[in-house]
Amino acid sequence: MLSIVHTRCIGLARSTTQFTLLHRTPFPAWPPRMLTRALAHAATAQDTASFAAKTPAMPTSTMPKRGITLSKLGFGAYRVNDTQDAHRRALKKAVASGVNVIDTSAHFGYGASETFIGKTLKDILSSKPELSREQFVIVSKAGFVLPQTAAFPVDVLGHVPSYAKISDSSYHSIHPTFLKDQITQSLQRLQLDTLDVFLLNHPERMLGDRQAPYGKPKLYKEIAEAFAYLDTEVAAGRIGGYGLCSNALHIPTTEDHLSLKAIINTRVDFGWKLENFVAVQVPMNLFERDVVTDVFPSKSLAREAKEHKIFVFTNRPLNAIGGGQIVTLENKNYLDRMNMNAKLLDTLGLSFQSLAEMELDIKDMIEEESIALKFMWSEILSENLPRLSTNYYAARHYLDKEVLPAIDRDLKVLEDSTSDYAQQDTDDKESVISWIDRYRREARTLVTDIASFCQIDSDKRNDEMNLVLGLVCKDFVSDTGLDAVADIGSPLSVKAIQYCVAHENVGCTLVGMRTPEYVHDAVVAAEASHKLTKEDLKAVAQCPLLLAVNADK
């Protein structure tokens, strides 16, 4: 973002979606030979179509402005790295199954994701002579700057004229100088000549700049200038096209919403080329369906993008936000969980009982009632258990970040109080110290058991959702019945992916597939997506469980 100090001489018209260009600082220059360089070693229409023909069961779509064929299932590389053999096997299995889309970002694992893809893709191509680089669509992004220390990242932003400070450990920039560096580093890590698609990553974050007030007119201006610069990267052959990855582009009602129409209108004054704006990427899942949902008088982002021949990627098919809560659409180990549930209830009961008995003991062991009354955690946690069980992630945060630190503070107060014991009270002091050690262990055991209970309770709700979705739509993939598919790890995950891939206006659904087992589930879902009709998709959107959760939004 442009701060007050770094604002360049560019004037804004009164409209927040129309701009008047007065002066533009020159972009980082490319040598003339690079500006005329052909698009080398990038995905091509012929090669991607040839790849798709080898696995006809995998559904595909076409990127209109590039003419390339993409698998409708993409390999999301958010949490992969070169240290895990399972990650390598997963990517190789995905490619063998017909997946030719690989999505990453410069900030994923501080570059580890791109490094992993570069090495693994090189290995795949060297071991499979029938495959070529031109058959794969590689997507990366830039915008985030997440330094590993609290110090200002001089090496990344010291020479960048404008950026946003989101917090002491998070910055954001889409300035051309920054983008040039990021593309260079991404290409080096990926061992590529060309990124097929390069996306500005969540530019709406810059609205939260802590350095200076920052409004949408400035943000639209920076996006337009970034696009104009990226046109030179397309001409240089370092990227095949560009676009936006956003959490707000598809939701008109959110405060940080960015309008696709407003962005497209900026090309009139900033001169960027609409033919190079090839793609957008936004979240979509069973709960968050805004990208494909028309809300009068607005069109859905998917429909609006289609009118401008802009390809739509979606992400987060298994990590939803519903009713203000994070919902992980997964229900692995269903049968094992049924057996574990009864055992866990017994274990949880014993953990509560053990801690409660210790809290009674301490009242008899010390005279200071104010200190003894600090140890009522068994009662506090017992009373809050029903609330905690409604949201596993919130419960985990509360237990780890609030409860355990508070218990440690209380135990420190108790331990400090033993320094006042007289010489003759040595035995009493040792008893209290021993109690402190045991209480800390018992408290941690209880917290672990509560977290497990919350996880199982969440899984039970997902089991119910899986059952209901199967009743709403008989063509969902199932692991039971006459048409059962073998070896499904998470039936709910398969349904969730199948639902997303089935939408005709969604070009590619990006799924995190860090193990071969995850790849199996995702591929099964994608290959069965054609079974879901428009009527099926409408019926799923009206599923009572999904509507009940979203009613609180």
Side-chain angles (χ1 to χ4, degrees):
M1 150 183 12
L2 295 177
S3 66
I4 291 177
V5 176
H6 297 127
T7 301
R8 294 182 301 228
C9 300
I10 297 177
L12 298 180
R14 291 188 178 186
S15 168
T16 60
T17 62
Q18 296 291 328
F19 307 93
T20 302
L21 179 63
L22 301 180
H23 173 71
R24 179 186 292 119
T25 299
F27 297 136
W30 287 111
R33 66 176 181 85
M34 295 196 71
L35 290 174
T36 58
R37 180 180 128 189
L39 190 63
H41 301 295
T44 68
Q46 180 178 348
D47 290 306
T48 53
S50 172
F51 179 88
K54 298 174 183 177
T55 53
M58 175 62 65
T60 60
S61 59
T62 302
M63 184 173 287
K65 295 179 183 179
R66 292 283 310 279
I68 54 178
T69 302
L70 294 81
S71 54
K72 290 201 70 174
L73 175 67
F75 187 93
Y78 174 46
R79 291 192 296 167
V80 296
N81 59 69
D82 197 43
T83 67
Q84 303 293 321
D85 182 61
H87 297 173
R88 286 188 289 273
R89 289 187 288 112
L91 181 52
K92 291 178 180 180
K93 182 177 177 66
V95 169
S97 302
V99 173
N100 76 330
V101 179
I102 305 173
D103 175 87
T104 183
S105 179
H107 80 287
F108 287 176
Y110 300 99
S113 172
E114 291 182 329
T115 299
F116 158 78
I117 292 168
K119 290 182 179 179
T120 307
L121 187 58
K122 184 177 182 180
D123 182 39
I124 291 172
L125 296 179
S126 63
S127 62
K128 301 285 185 181
E130 69 275 17
L131 298 180
S132 69
R133 156 66 182 102
E134 291 79 9
Q135 293 175 322
F136 294 91
V137 180
I138 311 299
V139 182
S140 196
K141 325 173 191 71
F144 284 81
V145 181
L146 304 174
Q148 300 188 53
T149 68
F152 176 74
V154 177
D155 57 329
V156 181
L157 295 177
H159 62 297
V160 175
S162 66
Y163 55 84
K165 180 178 181 180
I166 311 303
S167 69
D168 289 339
S169 58
S170 179
Y171 300 80
H172 215 92
S173 181
I174 56 172
H175 186 274
T177 301
F178 173 77
L179 297 178
K180 178 181 178 181
D181 289 345
Q182 293 292 295
I183 292 172
T184 297
Q185 293 171 29
S186 290
L187 290 173
Q188 289 172 349
R189 288 189 290 258
L190 288 162
Q191 302 183 49
L192 298 177
D193 294 321
T194 304
L195 284 170
D196 297 295
V197 180
F198 177 78
L199 304 177
L200 303 182
N201 204 357
H202 298 307
E204 67 271 14
R205 292 181 78 238
M206 296 192 294
L207 294 171
D209 187 11
R210 292 188 177 184
Q211 298 176 118
Y214 192 87
K216 287 187 182 180
K218 288 184 179 180
L219 182 53
Y220 284 124
K221 176 181 63 178
E222 284 228 331
I223 291 172
E225 290 203 317
F227 279 7
Y229 167 69
L230 291 174
D231 282 333
T232 70
E233 291 281 9
V234 174
R238 299 214 305 167
I239 65 174
Y242 53 76
L244 289 170
C245 176
S246 171
N247 281 334
L249 192 64
H250 59 308
I251 310 177
T253 56
T254 190
E255 186 176 349
D256 58 350
H257 169 65
L258 297 177
S259 163
L260 180 61
K261 180 179 180 180
I263 292 169
I264 290 176
N265 284 343
T266 65
R267 78 189 190 281
V268 175
D269 294 318
F270 285 80
W272 57 268
K273 299 178 180 179
L274 185 58
E275 61 265 31
N276 289 334
F277 183 5
V278 299
V280 293
Q281 183 182 137
V282 296
M284 178 183 170
N285 50 64
L286 285 168
F287 290 92
E288 298 170 273
R289 304 181 298 273
D290 308 79
V291 64
V292 293
T293 304
D294 294 326
V295 179
F296 184 82
S298 301
K299 301 174 185 176
S300 70
L301 176 64
R303 277 220 299 152
E304 190 177 2
K306 186 175 182 179
E307 291 176 359
H308 294 283
K309 297 183 179 180
I310 296 173
F311 191 84
V312 176
F313 292 97
T314 63
N315 56 36
R316 284 207 290 107
L318 303 181
N319 292 291
I321 299 176
Q325 298 182 359
I326 297 174
V327 181
T328 300
L329 298 170
E330 182 181 75
N331 66 332
K332 295 187 298 184
N333 305 317
Y334 170 67
L335 295 177
D336 292 342
R337 187 164 54 256
M338 292 180 63
N339 297 327
M340 288 172 55
N341 195 27
K343 295 179 181 178
L344 181 58
L345 287 174
D346 291 339
T347 302
L348 185 60
L350 292 174
S351 296
F352 269 117
Q353 181 180 344
S354 177
L355 203 68
E357 289 174 352
M358 291 192 68
E359 290 168 351
L360 290 175
D361 290 341
I362 197 62
K363 293 177 181 178
D364 295 330
M365 294 170 64
I366 63 176
E367 296 180 357
E368 294 187 46
E369 184 178 6
S370 61
I371 295 179
L373 289 176
K374 290 180 178 292
F375 299 99
M376 300 177 61
W377 286 103
S378 62
E379 182 178 344
I380 293 171
L381 293 173
S382 178
E383 290 176 352
N384 281 278
L385 188 60
R387 180 177 61 86
L388 292 173
S389 65
T390 63
N391 189 332
Y392 168 74
Y393 294 97
R396 185 81 261 182
H397 183 273
Y398 170 68
L399 294 170
D400 290 344
K401 303 299 182 181
E402 297 187 38
V403 172
L404 289 178
I407 290 175
D408 285 339
R409 289 193 296 269
D410 291 343
L411 292 173
K412 184 65 167 59
V413 171
L414 176 58
E415 184 176 6
D416 290 346
S417 72
T418 63
S419 63
D420 298 331
Y421 282 32
Q423 187 69 31
Q424 59 271 27
D425 295 332
T426 301
D427 290 344
D428 291 343
K429 180 177 180 178
E430 290 179 354
S431 296
V432 172
I433 296 299
S434 177
W435 183 93
I436 289 172
D437 291 340
R438 184 185 165 206
Y439 189 87
R440 180 176 284 109
R441 292 194 303 271
E442 293 288 346
R444 292 186 178 278
T445 297
L446 177 59
V447 162
T448 299
D449 290 343
I450 290 175
S452 298
F453 175 80
C454 294
Q455 177 69 72
I456 285 184
D457 203 59
S458 174
D459 289 339
K460 285 169 59 181
R461 289 192 295 275
N462 281 354
D463 290 337
E464 179 184 359
M465 187 185 306
N466 178 62
L467 176 63
V468 171
L469 288 173
L471 295 174
V472 168
C473 176
K474 63 180 179 62
D475 286 319
F476 266 131
V477 173
S478 176
D479 61 336
T480 61
L482 296 176
D483 298 322
V485 177
D487 301 323
I488 291 178
S490 171
L492 178 59
S493 299
V494 172
K495 291 180 175 63
I497 296 169
Q498 184 183 2
Y499 172 80
C500 293
V501 176
H503 281 271
E504 63 178 359
N505 288 337
V506 173
C508 179
T509 298
L510 303 168
V511 183
M513 295 183 273
R514 291 177 291 121
T515 70
E517 292 75 21
Y518 289 172
V519 174
H520 171 77
D521 280 9
V523 170
V524 165
E527 291 180 346
S529 61
H530 68 279
K531 296 181 179 180
L532 301 186
T533 64
K534 291 183 179 180
E535 288 70 26
D536 290 331
L537 298 178
K538 290 179 182 178
V540 172
Q542 294 300 314
C543 174
L545 284 180
L546 302 181
L547 293 175
V549 173
N550 280 327
D552 297 329
K553 288 177 66 176

